[in-house]
Amino acid sequence: MPGMDKKIYYYLEKIKKIQNNVFVPPVSCEIDPSNACNAKCSWCMFAEYRKHSTNHLKWDHYLKLVYELKHLGTKSITFTGGGEPLMNPKFNDMVDVAKNLGFELGLVTNGIQLHELKRPEYFKFIRVSLDSSNQEMYEKVKGVDFFPRVIENIKDAVRRNGTVGLSYVVGPDNRNGIEEAQALADSLKVAYIQFKPMYINGGIYEDFRMPDEEPNTIETKRYKAGERLPCHIAHLVGVVTADGGVYYCCQGRGKTNFYIGSIAHESFEAIWRRRLLHRNYHIKQCPPCRYMNYAKGIKDLLEEGDLFFEHKNFL
């Protein structure tokens, strides 16, 4: 599959506005319906955060948020976490409201409660964090025993949605299951399987080899910033956590230096306008993140010079 970082090229005009301090609403918004989780992944980046916040996003806060996002012109919503989105008892109602407002929808889930999702067909994509290729490996890396249920849930979702994919975070306990996972993805007839290295002990896990390239395989790279590159993509993606917090980017959930405000106390738009003060945030201050690929992509593009942009209407 082509590099996912190329998507940033669609938004060059918005990035130029941001660089000039012009207000630009988020193209997409990540919303965490819940900070509760029914898995125990050992590498979870948000485990410490959840110890202090096991909230479900309040219904009135959610309604206020999505109506405001619609007014601002946001195009899509990804339900993610934090925790597991389907843990929120109002989740299906959240989906219905967002769909009726005309948002494109995405879902990132561990799949354990996916059978409770009433309308899989509403989603542009559903990504299941499987992280394993068999039951023994699943129990080791996820800390729970739900592998058979998750596999059945995936099969059912695939029958109702053509863009169900799998995510596989590679670490010491599942590094040898990559090829088996790729075969499992084929047998389940999912749209893709995404492999990405685990971030553990302050670094990127690199002791593994990707399988031979297949059309439905995506490798999502993470790396530490080698240059002081501004993170452009964070200004196009809103992040709202289950306690109502708005954060600078998805990797900053629960971190005070990434916190911008709360929809429990003020409007999302007011918070989003204030984030322009953070527009020069550099990725050297960030944990490893796939969005760094976007920053590098913009840098490479800008190095082609002004003529690239001046002649943009001539194909």
Side-chain angles (χ1 to χ4, degrees):
M1 288 189 176
M4 296 175 69
D5 57 306
K6 301 297 188 294
K7 283 193 290 186
I8 193 67
Y9 296 170
Y10 289 110
Y11 304 107
L12 296 178
E13 290 298 329
K14 292 181 182 293
I15 289 170
K16 198 168 186 178
K17 288 180 179 179
I18 290 165
Q19 290 172 333
N20 291 322
N21 283 341
V22 176
F23 175 75
V24 175
V27 174
S28 181
C29 190
E30 294 188 5
I31 298 177
D32 299 354
S34 179
N35 274 346
C37 193
N38 45 13
K40 301 175 183 177
C41 305
S42 59
W43 67 85
C44 181
M45 294 184 65
F46 309 118
E48 285 299 315
Y49 171 44
R50 289 203 309 274
K51 287 180 181 178
H52 307 288
S53 175
T54 55
N55 310 62
H56 297 316
L57 182 60
K58 292 182 179 179
W59 179 244
D60 58 336
H61 291 169
Y62 172 77
L63 289 178
K64 178 175 174 288
L65 172 64
V66 291
Y67 277 97
E68 194 172 354
L69 290 173
K70 181 64 178 178
H71 173 74
L72 290 172
T74 299
K75 303 299 183 185
S76 67
I77 290 172
T78 300
F79 295 107
T80 180
E84 165 54 38
L86 282 151
M87 294 284 283
N88 189 315
K90 297 281 286 184
F91 183 68
N92 283 299
D93 296 323
M94 291 179 165
V95 172
D96 287 341
V97 169
K99 181 67 175 177
N100 289 336
L101 285 173
F103 289 104
E104 294 186 1
L105 304 179
L107 172 63
V108 180
T109 173
N110 60 31
I112 294 172
Q113 291 181 222
L114 193 54
H115 57 285
E116 297 179 10
L117 181 62
K118 292 181 179 178
R119 295 287 189 174
E121 62 273 17
Y122 280 179
F123 290 85
K124 293 285 284 189
F125 74 89
I126 297 173
R127 186 166 74 241
V128 179
S129 304
L130 189 61
D131 307 311
S132 58
S133 54
N134 57 62
Q135 182 164 348
E136 181 181 358
M137 184 181 295
Y138 182 91
E139 292 178 21
K140 191 168 188 178
V141 301
K142 307 293 280 188
V144 291
D145 179 14
F146 291 113
F147 186 75
R149 179 199 289 186
V150 172
I151 294 301
E152 288 306 311
N153 286 347
I154 292 169
K155 290 178 180 177
D156 182 61
V158 167
R159 285 192 285 267
R160 301 172 63 185
N161 185 307
T163 319
V164 177
L166 305 181
S167 174
Y168 192 110
V169 179
V170 186
D173 293 328
N174 62 0
R175 61 184 292 272
N176 294 321
I178 292 177
E179 291 187 356
E180 186 182 351
Q182 192 178 53
L184 176 61
D186 289 339
S187 70
L188 292 171
K189 296 182 171 57
V190 295
Y192 63 88
I193 182 167
Q194 175 191 85
F195 294 100
K196 53 188 175 183
M198 190 180 296
Y199 180 56
I200 52 173
N201 301 323
I204 303 297
Y205 185 78
E206 298 177 320
D207 187 20
F208 68 95
R209 185 182 67 84
M210 283 289 293
D212 295 335
E213 186 174 344
E214 296 287 345
N216 68 338
T217 299
I218 302 171
E219 181 180 9
T220 302
K221 297 179 180 178
R222 302 185 189 189
Y223 59 89
K224 291 183 178 178
E227 307 172 70
R228 290 186 62 81
L229 302 176
C231 180
H232 301 282
I233 193 68
H235 294 288
L236 301 177
V237 184
V239 177
V240 182
T241 56
D243 56 7
V246 180
Y247 287 84
Y248 182 80
C249 77
C250 61
Q251 300 285 28
R253 285 178 174 88
K255 298 178 181 177
T256 55
N257 59 320
F258 283 79
Y259 177 81
I260 306 172
S262 172
I263 61 170
H265 307 300
E266 57 184 328
S267 71
F268 178 85
E269 181 176 354
I271 298 167
W272 196 257
R273 286 185 180 277
R274 191 162 61 244
R275 73 175 284 124
L276 279 175
L277 299 174
H278 300 267
R279 66 188 178 87
N280 291 320
Y281 211 104
H282 289 89
I283 60 177
K284 268 196 171 181
Q285 300 168 285
C286 302
C289 169
R290 68 186 182 92
Y291 287 159
M292 293 178 188
N293 295 304
Y294 291 108
K296 182 66 164 58
I298 286 291
K299 177 177 180 290
D300 293 343
L301 192 62
L302 291 175
E303 287 175 350
E304 297 189 22
D306 291 338
L307 280 177
F308 181 93
F309 297 99
E310 291 178 13
H311 294 171
K312 68 180 180 181
N313 294 325
F314 294 90
L315 303 174

